[in-house]
């Protein structure tokens, strides 16, 4: 039985795109389901746009998400000798030829074709044919090498996702397989790589559909076994526009910085255009077990929904124990603020707030407020503090200075203050929430107070009263 071999082959020319991650995920999960091989290949022949930083971002992103590869990373720029071995074979067998048309000549040709309503394409002036006399070779002009695409017939494949696709060979140009600078092009390299690496299933975005017949024809010219092809619909934003590779919010590392968990990212992307019954939350192990074919993948574009991703992230954050969250939060806090904290208190804060946030950075922001004074929201305070409330806050300073600092005693003390000034709990709790956390909604105020250092509470109340007196 043939071993399933899939690949993820990104080009390092921009952010590590969230659409690329989804492609990698489906390729990886399919290989894992069948105990196959998953390969990482870096398609870096676009030398002017490929960067080492983008390459490293791909490797780091795969590692962070846990999408481990069995072979690679392979780099196309290190396989140039192999490509020219095949190119020379194609030249000698008549499946490729040198083309000396200049860029200016090609552009002028295309301009004329557009003006006359024709589809722009190369006119095959340098394509050798029996009895054809080729133009004289221009002096000092470096040629490209073109693949001799079939002039007639169709190229057909049964797409794993979209079904049968047929493209007329008349619609295809004679593809440039080596540029004038001597670098082989993407379509040629990808086809040869898939052959050499024994790829059985090519799973990629549907923006590659037009590349597939070109690659199939190259492989047919070499008389090799074709892989199966499957093309995933693109990811679109709320405006139904394809998410750009160069937008920050499309970068997978952006979500890491924002405090999203790998489990949430993978769970969300797995459900983006795929389903297994009504299952919304599932482990990556469960997904690999279910993903045995491509029948449940949508043929239509999948719309990215940040709110749904945040909901999933909250789900996974809540599933983590407090100690594990602490280990994830500490590096974030260290980067944001140099604060001294009590680890036991930190665990209590995490336990209290992890159900109320959607990202790790939100949780870090809340923790920092407990140890680093935030800018006072005076406009909000003015809305909730009356003269009587101000007196009650002064009383809080007096009472809080001499009590045992624990939730139960704080609750009793607050009730005494409320009784003295004939107030209800929300009237006093709301200003205290704003003073301490700059928030209108928090868990019970006595619990919040107990998590703070007593002196921090007293200082913040004093500063709030002083600020209001100066307005």
């Amino acid at each position: 039985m043939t071993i399933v071999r899939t690949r993820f082959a990104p080009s390092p020319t921009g952010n590590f795109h969230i659409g690329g991650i989804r492609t990698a995920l489906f390729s990886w999960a399919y290989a894992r389901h069948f105990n196959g091989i998953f390969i990482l290949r870096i398609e870096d022949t676009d030398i002017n746009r490929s960067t080492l930083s983008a390459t490293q971002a791909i490797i780091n992103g795969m590692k962070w998400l846990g999408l481990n590869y069995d072979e690679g990373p392979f780099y196309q720029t290190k396989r140039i000798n192999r490509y020219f071995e095949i190119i020379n074979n194609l030249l000698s067998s008549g499946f490729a030829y040198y083309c000396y048309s200049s860029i200016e000549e090609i552009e002028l040709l295309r301009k004329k074709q557009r003006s006359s309503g024709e589809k722009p394409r190369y006119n095959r002036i340098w394509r050798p044919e029996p009895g054809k006399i080729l133009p004289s070779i221009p002096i000092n002009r470096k040629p490209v090498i073109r693949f001799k695409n079939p002039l007639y017939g169709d190229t057909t494949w049964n797409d794993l996702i979209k079904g049968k696709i047929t493209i007329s060979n008349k619609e295809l140009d004679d593809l440039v397989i080596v540029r004038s600078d001597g670098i082989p092009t993407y379509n040629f390299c990808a086809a040869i790589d898939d052959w050499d690496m024994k790829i059985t299933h090519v799973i990629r975005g549907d923006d590659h559909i037009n590349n597939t017949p070109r690659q199939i024809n190259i492989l047919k010219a070499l008389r090799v076994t074709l892989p199966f092809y499957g093309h995933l619909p693109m990811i679109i934003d709320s405006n139904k526009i394809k998410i750009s590779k160069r937008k920050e919010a499309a970068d997978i590392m952006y979500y890491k910085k924002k405090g999203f968990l790998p489990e949430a990212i993978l769970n969300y992307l797995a459900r983006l255009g795929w389903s297994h019954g009504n299952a919304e939350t599932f482990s990556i192990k469960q997904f690999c077990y279910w993903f045995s074919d491509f029948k449940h993948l949508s043929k239509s574009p999948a719309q990215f929904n940040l709110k749904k991703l945040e909901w999933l992230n909250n789900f996974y954050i809540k599933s983590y124990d407090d100690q594990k969250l602490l280990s994830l939060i500490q590096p974030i806090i260290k980067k944001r603020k140099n604060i001294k904290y009590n680890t036991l208190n930190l665990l209590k804060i995490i336990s209290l707030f992890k159900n109320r946030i959607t990202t790790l950075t939100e949780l870090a922001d809340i923790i920092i407020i407990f140890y680093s004074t935030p800018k006072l929201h005076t406009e909000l305070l003015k809305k909730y503090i009356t003269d009587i409330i101000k007196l009650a806050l002064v009383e809080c300073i007096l009472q809080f200075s001499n009590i045992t600092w624990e939730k139960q005693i704080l609750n009793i003390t607050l009730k005494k203050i409320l009784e003295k000034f004939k107030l209800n709990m929300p009237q006093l709790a709301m200003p205290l929430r704003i003073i301490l956390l700059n928030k209108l909604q928090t868990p019970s105020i006595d619990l919040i107070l107990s998590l703070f250092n007593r002196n921090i509470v007293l200082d913040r109340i004093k500063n709030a009263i002083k600020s209001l007196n100066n307005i």
Side-chain angles (χ1 to χ4, degrees):
M1 187 175 179
T2 303
I3 296 173
V4 169
R5 292 176 63 89
T6 65
R7 47 74 155 183
F8 176 50
S11 58
T13 57
N15 293 333
F16 191 16
H17 191 248
I18 200 161
I21 287 293
R22 186 179 64 147
T23 300
L25 172 60
F26 285 121
S27 299
W28 177 86
Y30 192 72
R32 291 291 170 263
H33 179 89
F34 290 101
N35 295 315
I37 302 296
F38 176 66
I39 294 167
L40 176 62
R41 186 170 80 217
I42 306 296
E43 298 191 334
D44 56 350
T45 54
D46 189 344
I47 293 172
N48 293 328
R49 293 171 57 222
S50 296
T51 65
L52 290 175
S53 60
T55 300
Q56 194 58 51
I58 292 166
I59 293 169
N60 291 345
M62 297 286 282
K63 183 178 180 181
W64 176 60
L65 292 166
L67 298 179
N68 54 311
Y69 39 91
D70 305 296
E71 296 178 14
F74 298 108
Y75 297 87
Q76 289 185 330
T77 50
K78 294 181 179 180
R79 287 175 43 80
I80 299 297
N81 289 342
R82 169 59 176 161
Y83 300 140
F84 273 98
E85 180 185 329
I86 305 300
I87 287 161
N88 290 331
N89 189 344
L90 290 173
L91 285 167
S92 62
S93 60
F95 282 105
Y97 62 94
Y98 292 101
C99 167
Y100 291 88
S101 295
S102 68
I103 294 173
E104 293 76 18
E105 288 170 345
I106 296 292
E107 285 302 317
L108 182 61
L109 173 65
R110 287 173 177 170
K111 187 176 180 180
K112 288 180 179 178
Q113 289 170 330
R114 288 191 195 99
S115 64
S116 62
E118 298 176 56
K119 182 177 178 179
R121 72 182 72 204
Y122 171 61
N123 60 4
R124 296 187 170 98
I125 189 171
W126 288 95
R127 176 173 170 136
E129 300 289 358
K132 180 180 178 180
I133 300 174
L134 299 178
S136 299
I137 296 176
I139 299 172
N140 296 327
R141 185 181 294 175
K142 292 182 178 180
V144 300
I145 299 176
R146 290 183 181 269
F147 174 68
K148 215 175 186 183
N149 195 75
L151 297 176
Y152 307 103
D154 298 321
T155 301
T156 299
W157 73 96
N158 289 312
D159 198 271
L160 297 167
I161 298 163
K162 295 181 177 290
K164 186 178 180 180
I165 296 178
T166 297
I167 294 178
S168 171
N169 286 324
K170 291 181 180 180
E171 296 295 312
L172 304 177
D173 227 331
D174 278 5
L175 177 72
V176 174
I177 57 175
V178 180
R179 294 187 287 263
S180 59
D181 60 4
I183 302 298
T185 59
Y186 159 75
N187 270 302
F188 178 77
C189 296
I192 302 308
D193 288 345
D194 288 339
W195 171 33
D196 281 354
M197 296 172 190
K198 298 179 173 59
I199 302 301
T200 59
H201 298 75
V202 174
I203 304 162
R204 56 190 178 190
D206 61 6
D207 52 336
H208 285 280
I209 283 179
N210 287 335
N211 293 327
T212 301
R214 294 174 168 88
Q215 293 173 18
I216 287 175
N217 284 335
I218 289 170
L219 292 175
K220 281 183 175 179
L222 295 168
R223 298 182 180 180
V224 300
T225 303
L226 300 177
F228 295 99
Y229 293 92
H231 293 88
L232 293 163
M234 69 181 71
I235 299 177
I236 57 176
D237 61 20
S238 56
N239 297 315
K240 297 185 178 180
I241 298 171
K242 180 184 176 182
I243 294 179
S244 168
K245 185 175 183 178
R246 286 160 186 84
K247 283 187 178 179
E248 185 184 38
D251 182 5
I252 196 65
M253 302 314 284
Y254 166 84
Y255 292 94
K256 182 182 180 183
K257 291 173 188 173
K258 286 291 182 181
F260 286 86
L261 299 174
E263 297 96 318
I265 297 282
L266 294 176
N267 190 160
Y268 178 71
L269 291 178
R271 281 288 287 115
L272 200 58
W274 174 87
S275 62
H276 182 83
N278 296 319
E280 289 289 342
T281 58
F282 43 82
S283 69
I284 195 65
K285 184 178 180 181
Q286 183 66 70
F287 174 56
C288 291
Y289 178 76
W290 285 334
F291 195 60
S292 60
D293 56 47
F294 302 88
K295 294 177 182 176
H296 300 288
L297 276 163
S298 172
K299 298 178 183 179
S300 304
Q303 188 166 331
F304 186 82
N305 185 328
L306 181 59
K307 293 293 181 186
K308 183 63 178 291
L309 176 56
E310 288 175 339
W311 177 85
L312 274 170
N313 206 51
N314 171 256
F315 171 82
Y316 284 103
I317 285 174
K318 288 188 294 187
S319 73
Y320 276 22
D321 65 55
D322 299 340
Q323 195 67 48
K324 187 173 181 179
L325 284 173
L326 176 63
S327 67
L328 295 173
I329 288 291
Q330 283 173 318
I332 299 173
I333 294 173
K334 191 174 182 180
K335 284 183 181 178
R336 297 276 190 87
K337 207 86 172 176
N338 184 22
I339 60 174
K340 293 181 180 179
Y341 52 80
N342 179 299
T343 301
L344 183 60
N345 250 31
L346 212 60
L347 285 168
K348 290 178 180 177
I349 295 168
I350 288 170
S351 179
L352 186 60
F353 282 94
K354 70 180 184 180
N355 290 351
R356 296 168 173 262
I357 49 87
T358 57
T359 67
L360 295 177
T361 52
E362 286 179 32
L363 187 53
D365 289 340
I366 290 170
I367 289 169
I368 288 169
I369 289 176
F370 275 86
Y371 297 93
S372 179
T373 305
K375 185 179 179 181
L376 194 63
H377 202 318
T378 51
E379 289 302 312
L380 198 56
L381 269 180
K382 283 194 293 183
K383 183 178 177 181
Y384 289 96
I385 293 184
T386 61
D387 290 339
I388 193 72
I389 297 297
K390 200 181 293 185
L391 291 173
L393 289 172
V394 172
E395 185 69 18
C396 284
I397 295 171
L398 295 172
Q399 295 292 336
F400 289 171
S401 299
N402 301 303
I403 61 172
T404 303
W405 200 253
E406 59 182 42
K407 180 181 180 298
Q408 187 176 359
I409 302 300
L410 282 162
N411 183 271
I412 293 169
T413 305
L414 285 169
K415 286 179 179 176
K416 286 180 181 178
I417 296 169
L418 294 174
E419 187 178 344
K420 178 177 179 178
F421 292 96
K422 294 183 171 49
L423 298 169
N424 57 42
M425 185 62 84
Q427 286 177 292
L428 182 56
M430 195 66 77
L432 285 171
R433 288 187 173 102
I434 297 166
I435 290 167
L436 296 174
L437 293 173
N438 260 345
K439 293 181 179 293
L440 293 175
Q441 294 182 341
T442 71
S444 65
I445 193 62
D446 51 357
L447 181 54
I448 291 297
L449 285 163
S450 71
L451 294 175
F452 272 93
N453 176 280
R454 183 204 308 263
N455 291 331
I456 289 177
V457 172
L458 296 176
D459 286 345
R460 289 191 189 181
I461 296 174
K462 288 174 186 176
N463 289 337
I465 293 171
K466 184 178 178 181
S467 296
L468 288 168
N469 288 337
N470 291 334
I471 294 175

